[in-house]
Amino acid sequence: MPYIKEAVVETAEEIENVIKYNPQRIELCSRLDIGGLTPTWELTNFCLTKGVETVIMMRNRPDFYTTWLSTCKLIRTIKKFNRTNVKGYVMGIITIDNTVDLKAMKKLMKAAQGKDVIFHMAFDQIKNQKKAIDQLVSLGVKRVLTKGGSDKAVNNIEQLKKLKEQADGRIEIIVGGGVNDDNWTMIAQATGLEQFHGRKLACK
């Protein structure tokens, strides 16, 4: 599998800029200042005109938890965006005990109707990540976005290697958290991982 660089953007200007550098994938969000929320319908459709594989953040609150009402809202939003050509959704719900919220995730997976689902950095708050990997595999999640812990990815090499081993080809690991054009190759060589994600990636 060739290396994949996923550029994270939140404005039309940023989309236009990264397109110049041929990213393999775009993650489109709004409000990256709080970790990313669902982008607008209009910006999503603009991004899709650029012909680059695009996944979008599917998140309507600044934390990784949920309520019945916020889950219902996410489901309605997912069903709306299912009408577009987005490749998938970046989303993740955890419980107050920092475990995968299986009940909520099953509902979101069903709503996604076969589009790729990427479990975002809520994963880094989960204590038993080995168990979480197995649960996400059973749910049918395509990828896990992680920095390997609370620090930047470059400081979590050993944990990233352990996650790759636990995944064992059953689910893809994409590395984020301070990943940029200057350090992604080092992380790749040290971990054996092949997918990388960042705001300062695919920018030069």
Side-chain angles (χ1 to χ4, degrees):
M1 179 179 178
Y3 291 123
I4 292 176
K5 292 198 290 184
E6 178 179 278
V8 186
V9 297
E10 66 173 333
T11 67
E13 182 180 2
E14 289 177 349
I15 293 167
E16 296 281 16
N17 183 64
V18 299
I19 289 297
K20 301 173 186 176
Y21 302 100
N22 299 312
Q24 286 77 34
R25 188 190 300 130
I26 286 174
E27 182 190 310
L28 183 63
C29 309
S30 67
R31 295 300 308 273
L32 283 169
D33 60 312
I34 56 171
L37 299 178
T38 305
T40 66
W41 176 260
E42 293 76 15
L43 187 63
T44 300
N45 281 289
F46 171 75
C47 189
L48 291 170
T49 67
K50 302 303 176 180
V52 178
E53 180 178 309
T54 300
V55 296
I56 64 171
M57 178 66 76
M58 193 56 61
R59 186 174 173 216
N60 58 11
R61 49 190 288 161
D63 58 39
F64 299 129
Y65 311 110
T66 194
T67 63
W68 180 82
L69 286 174
S70 63
T71 299
C72 290
K73 182 179 177 181
L74 271 181
I75 289 170
R76 289 195 299 270
T77 305
I78 290 168
K79 288 180 177 179
K80 176 182 178 180
F81 279 95
N82 281 345
R83 305 200 302 267
T84 72
N85 291 325
V86 295
K87 180 68 172 175
Y89 304 119
V90 183
M91 56 189 182
I93 306 294
I94 58 175
T95 69
I96 58 172
D97 297 321
N98 292 329
T99 62
V100 177
D101 189 329
L102 293 172
K103 184 177 180 180
M105 284 301 301
K106 285 176 181 177
K107 292 178 180 178
L108 298 184
M109 295 294 298
K110 182 178 180 181
Q113 296 182 350
K115 288 187 183 287
D116 292 349
V117 171
I118 302 90
F119 197 91
H120 57 43
M121 285 185 180
F123 184 81
D124 290 322
Q125 291 186 202
I126 294 174
K127 295 178 181 179
N128 189 341
Q129 295 187 339
K130 287 187 175 182
K131 180 178 180 180
I133 288 285
D134 292 341
Q135 290 174 323
L136 296 177
V137 169
S138 69
L139 285 169
V141 171
K142 175 83 170 180
R143 286 188 294 278
V144 176
L145 172 61
T146 179
K147 55 185 184 291
S150 59
D151 206 345
K152 293 181 179 179
V154 291
N155 298 322
N156 295 324
I157 298 298
E158 291 306 312
Q159 178 63 11
L160 289 169
K161 288 163 67 175
K162 290 177 182 177
L163 292 174
K164 181 178 185 295
E165 182 179 359
Q166 181 67 21
D168 193 28
R170 299 174 299 156
I171 190 170
E172 299 169 10
I173 304 291
I174 178 168
V175 183
V179 177
N180 56 50
D181 284 322
D182 296 321
N183 64 23
W184 75 267
T185 53
M186 180 277 287
I187 300 170
Q189 291 168 0
T191 63
L193 291 167
E194 298 167 322
Q195 299 192 51
F196 303 90
H197 159 108
R199 278 201 92 174
K200 297 182 179 180
L201 193 64
C203 293
K204 65 180 183 179

